[in-house]
Amino acid sequence: HQWHKTLSVFGIGKDIAKDEWMHYIKELIQYEYLAQSDGQYPVLKLTEKAKNVLYKKENVYLSSSVNIVIAKEPVIYQQHVYEQELFDKLKELRNRIAHEENLPAYIIFSDSTLLDLATYLPLSVNDLLKISGFGVVKLEKYGQSFLKVVQQYCTTQNLETRIHLKQPKRERKQKILTAGEKVNSTFETSLNLYKLGKTINEIVEERKLSKQTIESHLSYFIAEGELSVGELVNEGKQKAIIAAAELHGKTSLKMLKENLPEDVSYGDIRMVLASINKASKI
């Protein structure tokens, strides 16, 4: 009864199923129109934000309730041990994205891709490109979200990447990644614009992509030796980032950022780490 009374404020009728009620309630809590009290018998309350709906007729737009059916996949043989807890976290992220985009979960990533992430623990954009299922488009769209989950897990569990255990992708897909070859045109475009003299902010504006994405593109070329980190990060920042990485490790960008001067950006850190990774391959 409390649900009916509270949600009627938002124009939500009562002739809907229980799971739909729960869907709308969760959305209204997420958007801070409702608050849920603690305790054994939690109560829903209208927030200050909800007063505009109640008294000023403000419209509230909620997504329709969609049942995401996760297709069952065959059991996948995994040569190496994987992190079950991380795998579960990655599935939660995938399912949340699937719900937000009204897509079947397997369209976002297959279970085999999540298993690879939980097995080989990629900690950089370059590492992600070695995981089956991460082409250029999905790397740009979902890469940072999944990478962040892996990085945070490895930091918490004090784990290092196992990407060196990963066998190369099949030749058909490997063409994007092979050293000496060009990556897909979206990476290439960012590189070419930079070589034409455009700044990162100008490339962001022209390509209508996030600054983080453009910095990831350029970091890739630093790791591949096609760009010098000195072109993008001054020597003082480089030294500070290298010292911080030696002290705190390279798995958590957040930890490095918190232990560096304010003028050192996440982009600076990514580029210097790409340069360190390049040096370690030589």
Side-chain angles (χ1 to χ4, degrees):
H1 295 299
Q2 183 201 6
W3 294 354
H4 296 173
K5 184 177 179 181
T6 304
L7 294 187
S8 64
V9 172
F10 300 97
I12 299 174
K14 59 184 180 181
D15 297 326
I16 56 176
K18 183 177 179 181
D19 59 341
E20 291 183 88
W21 281 108
M22 296 306 299
H23 165 78
Y24 292 124
I25 287 170
K26 287 178 181 178
E27 281 214 333
L28 290 167
I29 292 174
Q30 178 183 347
Y31 296 136
E32 299 180 348
Y33 287 104
L34 293 179
Q36 183 173 312
S37 65
D38 297 324
Q40 185 177 359
Y41 303 104
V43 177
L44 290 175
K45 299 179 180 179
L46 295 172
T47 64
E48 287 295 317
K49 188 176 179 181
K51 289 183 179 180
N52 290 332
V53 181
L54 187 60
Y55 300 115
K56 298 183 181 179
K57 307 298 182 182
E58 178 184 296
N59 292 325
V60 178
Y61 298 97
L62 303 175
S63 63
S64 61
S65 179
V66 177
N67 291 322
I68 302 297
V69 178
I70 302 174
K72 291 184 178 180
E73 299 190 16
V75 176
I76 303 165
Y77 170 72
Q78 200 72 358
Q79 182 180 2
H80 303 289
V81 176
Y82 70 95
E83 301 291 324
Q84 179 67 54
E85 183 181 348
L86 175 57
F87 179 68
D88 292 339
K89 290 178 183 293
L90 293 168
K91 286 187 75 172
E92 288 176 11
L93 172 60
R94 180 189 64 178
N95 294 343
R96 185 166 69 250
I97 293 172
H99 182 84
E100 291 170 356
E101 298 188 5
N102 288 347
L103 291 172
Y106 68 85
I107 295 295
I108 308 300
F109 286 117
S110 67
D111 273 4
S112 61
T113 295
L114 302 188
L115 273 173
D116 273 3
L117 291 172
T119 300
Y120 301 110
L121 308 179
L123 298 178
S124 69
V125 172
N126 294 327
D127 290 346
L128 274 185
L129 282 168
K130 298 173 184 176
I131 301 295
S132 298
F134 273 95
V136 173
V137 174
K138 289 196 175 182
L139 178 68
E140 285 197 2
K141 195 169 184 180
Y142 308 121
Q144 291 298 331
S145 298
F146 283 86
L147 188 61
K148 183 178 179 181
V149 172
V150 178
Q151 289 173 336
Q152 289 178 342
Y153 179 84
C154 288
T155 298
T156 302
Q157 302 296 325
N158 195 26
L159 296 173
E160 296 184 355
T161 183
R162 303 174 192 146
I163 199 66
H164 59 283
L165 300 175
K166 181 78 173 73
Q167 292 183 352
K169 293 181 182 179
R170 293 178 182 177
E171 184 64 23
R172 181 174 60 85
K173 298 180 181 179
Q174 185 70 7
K175 288 182 179 179
I176 300 173
L177 310 172
T178 303
E181 293 183 343
K182 300 291 185 181
V183 289
N184 198 285
S185 60
T186 185
F187 278 58
E188 250 181 4
T189 300
S190 297
L191 176 65
N192 290 337
L193 288 172
Y194 177 76
K195 287 185 174 180
L196 287 173
K198 292 185 180 291
T199 65
I200 290 177
N201 288 335
E202 288 171 339
I203 299 172
V204 167
E205 181 63 27
E206 182 165 335
R207 301 207 62 201
K208 306 302 180 187
L209 296 173
S210 69
K211 186 174 183 180
Q212 182 175 319
T213 296
I214 301 303
E215 289 171 341
S216 295
H217 292 176
L218 299 180
S219 295
Y220 174 85
F221 290 108
I222 289 173
E224 292 300 314
E226 293 192 44
L227 280 179
S228 168
V229 68
E231 297 178 44
L232 292 147
V233 185
N234 68 47
E235 187 176 353
K237 288 183 179 181
Q238 288 183 56
K239 289 181 178 178
I241 294 168
I242 291 170
E246 290 175 350
L247 184 61
H248 302 287
K250 300 183 291 182
T251 58
S252 173
L253 294 181
K254 183 179 179 183
M255 181 177 290
L256 291 175
K257 183 75 172 70
E258 290 174 349
N259 287 277
L260 285 163
E262 286 188 10
D263 64 332
V264 177
S265 69
Y266 279 104
D268 295 331
I269 297 170
R270 287 190 187 92
M271 291 176 188
V272 172
L273 291 183
S275 178
I276 293 172
N277 290 337
K278 170 183 173 291
S280 66
K281 295 176 184 177
I282 299 174

mmCIF file of all heavy atoms in Angstrom, residues 1 9-10 14 37 47 105 113 156 253 261 272:
data_model
loop_
_atom_site.group_PDB
_atom_site.id
_atom_site.type_symbol
_atom_site.label_atom_id
_atom_site.label_comp_id
_atom_site.label_asym_id
_atom_site.label_seq_id
_atom_site.Cartn_x
_atom_site.Cartn_y
_atom_site.Cartn_z
ATOM 1 N N HIS A 1 0.824 -1.198 0.000
ATOM 2 C CA HIS A 1 0.000 0.000 0.000
ATOM 3 C C HIS A 1 0.863 1.255 0.000
ATOM 4 O O HIS A 1 0.532 2.262 -0.609
ATOM 5 C CB HIS A 1 -0.922 0.002 1.209
ATOM 6 C CG HIS A 1 -1.929 -1.103 1.168
ATOM 7 N ND1 HIS A 1 -2.873 -1.228 0.160
ATOM 8 C CD2 HIS A 1 -2.132 -2.156 2.004
ATOM 9 C CE1 HIS A 1 -3.621 -2.300 0.393
ATOM 10 N NE2 HIS A 1 -3.186 -2.892 1.495
ATOM 11 N N VAL A 9 2.336 9.706 -6.675
ATOM 12 C CA VAL A 9 2.840 11.071 -6.819
ATOM 13 C C VAL A 9 3.519 11.254 -8.165
ATOM 14 O O VAL A 9 3.468 12.311 -8.777
ATOM 15 C CB VAL A 9 3.840 11.408 -5.678
ATOM 16 C CG1 VAL A 9 4.516 12.754 -5.922
ATOM 17 C CG2 VAL A 9 3.127 11.394 -4.347
ATOM 18 N N PHE A 10 4.149 10.182 -8.640
ATOM 19 C CA PHE A 10 4.904 10.257 -9.880
ATOM 20 C C PHE A 10 4.081 9.794 -11.080
ATOM 21 O O PHE A 10 4.616 9.570 -12.163
ATOM 22 C CB PHE A 10 6.178 9.405 -9.770
ATOM 23 C CG PHE A 10 7.075 9.847 -8.657
ATOM 24 C CD1 PHE A 10 7.052 9.229 -7.418
ATOM 25 C CD2 PHE A 10 7.947 10.915 -8.843
ATOM 26 C CE1 PHE A 10 7.879 9.650 -6.392
ATOM 27 C CE2 PHE A 10 8.772 11.338 -7.825
ATOM 28 C CZ PHE A 10 8.738 10.708 -6.586
ATOM 29 N N LYS A 14 -1.364 1.612 -10.412
ATOM 30 C CA LYS A 14 -1.203 0.421 -9.571
ATOM 31 C C LYS A 14 -1.476 -0.879 -10.316
ATOM 32 O O LYS A 14 -1.339 -1.957 -9.747
ATOM 33 C CB LYS A 14 -2.098 0.524 -8.338
ATOM 34 C CG LYS A 14 -3.590 0.671 -8.647
ATOM 35 C CD LYS A 14 -4.330 0.862 -7.345
ATOM 36 C CE LYS A 14 -5.840 1.022 -7.603
ATOM 37 N NZ LYS A 14 -6.580 1.222 -6.350
ATOM 38 N N SER A 37 14.594 4.194 4.259
ATOM 39 C CA SER A 37 15.145 4.205 5.609
ATOM 40 C C SER A 37 15.856 2.889 5.908
ATOM 41 O O SER A 37 15.647 1.884 5.224
ATOM 42 C CB SER A 37 14.019 4.427 6.627
ATOM 43 O OG SER A 37 13.122 3.330 6.599
ATOM 44 N N THR A 47 11.791 12.698 -1.038
ATOM 45 C CA THR A 47 12.919 13.586 -0.754
ATOM 46 C C THR A 47 12.543 15.037 -1.083
ATOM 47 O O THR A 47 11.452 15.314 -1.609
ATOM 48 C CB THR A 47 14.129 13.189 -1.605
ATOM 49 O OG1 THR A 47 13.794 13.383 -2.982
ATOM 50 C CG2 THR A 47 14.503 11.725 -1.378
ATOM 51 N N ALA A 105 22.465 -9.294 -22.586
ATOM 52 C CA ALA A 105 23.792 -9.153 -21.985
ATOM 53 C C ALA A 105 24.904 -9.656 -22.894
ATOM 54 O O ALA A 105 25.990 -9.074 -22.943
ATOM 55 C CB ALA A 105 23.834 -9.876 -20.642
ATOM 56 N N THR A 113 34.586 -13.643 -22.799
ATOM 57 C CA THR A 113 35.360 -12.396 -22.669
ATOM 58 C C THR A 113 35.550 -12.036 -21.206
ATOM 59 O O THR A 113 36.650 -11.655 -20.782
ATOM 60 C CB THR A 113 34.652 -11.247 -23.404
ATOM 61 O OG1 THR A 113 34.639 -11.518 -24.814
ATOM 62 C CG2 THR A 113 35.366 -9.920 -23.173
ATOM 63 N N THR A 156 43.074 -4.174 -4.694
ATOM 64 C CA THR A 156 42.571 -4.700 -3.420
ATOM 65 C C THR A 156 43.220 -6.039 -3.068
ATOM 66 O O THR A 156 43.581 -6.285 -1.917
ATOM 67 C CB THR A 156 41.042 -4.881 -3.485
ATOM 68 O OG1 THR A 156 40.438 -3.624 -3.793
ATOM 69 C CG2 THR A 156 40.491 -5.394 -2.162
ATOM 70 N N LEU A 253 45.361 3.837 -11.043
ATOM 71 C CA LEU A 253 45.546 5.224 -11.470
ATOM 72 C C LEU A 253 45.100 6.187 -10.370
ATOM 73 O O LEU A 253 45.700 7.240 -10.173
ATOM 74 C CB LEU A 253 44.741 5.496 -12.746
ATOM 75 C CG LEU A 253 45.175 4.762 -14.018
ATOM 76 C CD1 LEU A 253 44.279 5.164 -15.179
ATOM 77 C CD2 LEU A 253 46.626 5.057 -14.367
ATOM 78 N N PRO A 261 51.181 15.744 -7.628
ATOM 79 C CA PRO A 261 50.686 17.132 -7.619
ATOM 80 C C PRO A 261 49.385 17.267 -8.404
ATOM 81 O O PRO A 261 49.108 16.489 -9.318
ATOM 82 C CB PRO A 261 51.829 17.904 -8.304
ATOM 83 C CG PRO A 261 53.043 17.062 -8.087
ATOM 84 C CD PRO A 261 52.565 15.642 -8.124
ATOM 85 N N VAL A 272 52.561 8.230 -19.357
ATOM 86 C CA VAL A 272 53.854 7.849 -18.780
ATOM 87 C C VAL A 272 53.881 6.340 -18.494
ATOM 88 O O VAL A 272 54.896 5.678 -18.747
ATOM 89 C CB VAL A 272 54.152 8.658 -17.500
ATOM 90 C CG1 VAL A 272 55.400 8.128 -16.806
ATOM 91 C CG2 VAL A 272 54.337 10.136 -17.848
#
